């Protein structure tokens, strides 16, 4: 049951990444990067999970302007599998595609707010936390998005959004999840190998320390004192200073 639930969480992350970026390679990269830092999404709260997806989607969107993000994008494109598949604008059809094309032209904050509230169905307080803005600001962004999209559908925007959701649920997340899980297994294997190496190194260091202490103890005769181990016949005065001759 937990494995099934874990798969549902991973599929959710992939679909949300697809919607936020409109890019199959970006969605694959976002899912992989999240699983690298959080291999078990069942241990991550829903708000934090959505927040991670939003942040990485924004990082991907900055790729043309930010050098670090651009390097991340270039690496993701090179590593992307042949199974990345089609982008959302290639998957939608009919009225759902019309809505999607129009929504993607919105200001990013309006698009994100509308997407989480009206398409994904995220509760308002969770959506505001995921988008890192106040609830009132998020609601204003979402309302502005609705007002911009409403004239395209004769005031029946909710019906168009419902058709969009139906087509999203038909996306097959299996190939993307298969690639992500294989890469996660490789990462976990490398972590275990690294941990094993560190444990061996620590054991060797402890062994050397124990052997050194044992050697010192074995070389000390019973009853021998600190003074006995210092060469010379003269008595040692460790209490009073020695007066220098005038």
């Amino acid at each position: 049951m937990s494995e099934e639930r874990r798969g549902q969480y991973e599929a959710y992350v992939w679909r949300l990444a697809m919607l936020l970026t409109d890019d199959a390679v970006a969605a694959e990269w976002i899912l992989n990067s999240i699983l690298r830092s959080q291999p078990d999404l069942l241990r991550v709260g829903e708000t934090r999970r959505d927040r991670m997806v939003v942040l990485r989607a924004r990082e991907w969107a900055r790729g043309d302007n930010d050098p670090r993000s651009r390097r991340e994008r270039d690496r993701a494109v090179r590593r992307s599998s042949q199974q990345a598949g089609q982008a959302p604008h290639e998957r939608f059809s009919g009225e759902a595609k019309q809505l999607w094309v129009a929504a993607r032209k919105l200001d990013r904050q309006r698009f994100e707010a509308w997407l989480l509230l009206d398409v994904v169905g995220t509760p308002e307080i969770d959506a505001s936390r995921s988008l890192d803005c106040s609830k009132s600001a998020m609601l204003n962004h979402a309302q502005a998005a609705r007002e911009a999209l409403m004239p395209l559908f004769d005031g029946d925007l909710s019906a168009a959004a419902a058709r969009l959701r139906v087509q999203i649920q038909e996306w097959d997340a299996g190939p993307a999840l298969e690639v992500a899980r294989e890469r996660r297994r490789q990462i976990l294997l490398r972590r275990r190998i690294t941990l094993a190496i560190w444990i061996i190194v620590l054991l060797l260091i402890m062994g050397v320390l124990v052997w050194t202490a044992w050697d010192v103890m074995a070389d000390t005769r019973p009853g021998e004192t600190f003074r006995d181990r210092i060469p010379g016949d003269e008595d040692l005065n460790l209490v009073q200073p020695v007066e220098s001759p005038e």
Side-chain angles (χ1 to χ4, degrees):
M1 186 65 180
S2 60
E3 189 62 32
E4 180 182 355
R5 185 64 173 166
R6 187 178 293 108
Q8 293 173 352
Y9 269 48
E10 292 170 352
Y12 172 90
V13 167
W14 175 76
R15 288 191 174 94
L16 180 57
M18 286 275 282
L19 295 170
L20 286 168
T21 62
D22 195 34
D23 191 315
V25 174
E28 183 179 284
W29 171 75
I30 290 172
L31 177 59
N32 289 335
S33 63
I34 290 177
L35 291 180
R36 279 200 302 271
S37 59
Q38 299 290 341
D40 189 356
L41 290 179
L42 292 179
R43 299 185 178 184
V44 181
E46 293 181 359
T47 301
R48 186 185 174 201
R49 175 200 61 196
D50 290 359
R51 178 68 178 149
M52 289 191 294
V53 180
V54 169
L55 288 176
R56 282 168 172 79
R58 290 174 178 174
E59 182 179 350
W60 182 269
R62 291 195 304 267
D64 293 334
N65 302 318
D66 180 66
R68 177 179 176 275
S69 298
R70 186 166 58 250
R71 288 194 297 271
E72 287 286 345
R73 284 182 56 164
D74 292 342
R75 281 196 292 266
V77 171
R78 289 195 300 269
R79 296 174 183 172
S80 64
S81 69
Q82 298 299 319
Q83 299 176 334
Q86 297 175 311
H89 66 269
E90 300 171 308
R91 296 171 182 254
F92 289 125
S93 62
E95 194 176 40
K97 185 168 186 176
Q98 181 185 0
L99 174 58
W100 182 249
V101 171
R104 290 293 300 176
K105 295 178 182 178
L106 295 170
D107 172 81
R108 183 162 190 88
Q109 288 181 308
R110 294 180 179 181
F111 170 72
E112 290 176 344
W114 171 80
L115 180 68
L116 289 184
L117 289 178
D118 292 4
V119 179
V120 179
T122 308
E124 292 179 356
I125 188 64
D126 294 336
S128 65
R129 290 171 179 171
S130 299
L131 299 178
D132 194 24
C133 65
S134 67
K135 181 179 175 181
S136 59
M138 181 208 59
L139 292 176
N140 288 336
H141 289 315
Q143 184 58 32
R146 295 182 191 117
E147 292 174 357
L149 297 172
M150 194 81 70
L152 301 175
F153 301 95
D154 297 326
D156 196 7
L157 181 60
S158 59
R163 295 185 184 94
L164 189 72
R165 284 192 295 272
V166 170
Q167 294 191 23
I168 292 171
Q169 291 301 319
E170 294 174 351
W171 293 351
D172 181 15
L177 300 186
E178 182 180 347
V179 172
R181 288 167 183 169
E182 177 59 31
R183 290 180 179 171
R184 180 181 62 183
R185 282 193 290 269
Q186 295 173 359
I187 292 169
L188 292 176
L189 178 60
R190 285 197 295 269
R191 288 182 180 179
R192 293 189 185 104
I193 293 174
T194 302
L195 179 60
I197 292 173
W198 275 109
I199 291 176
I200 292 173
V201 171
L202 290 175
L203 289 175
L204 289 174
I205 294 173
M206 292 177 61
V208 170
L209 293 175
V210 171
W211 178 85
T212 302
W214 178 263
D215 184 64
V216 171
M217 293 175 61
D219 193 46
T220 303
R221 296 186 299 274
E224 187 177 35
T225 64
F226 168 74
R227 190 177 68 176
D228 296 332
R229 298 180 63 84
I230 300 178
D233 297 331
E234 66 280 0
D235 293 336
L236 294 179
N237 185 349
L238 301 180
V239 178
Q240 298 179 354
V242 178
E243 297 181 359
S244 59
E246 297 180 356

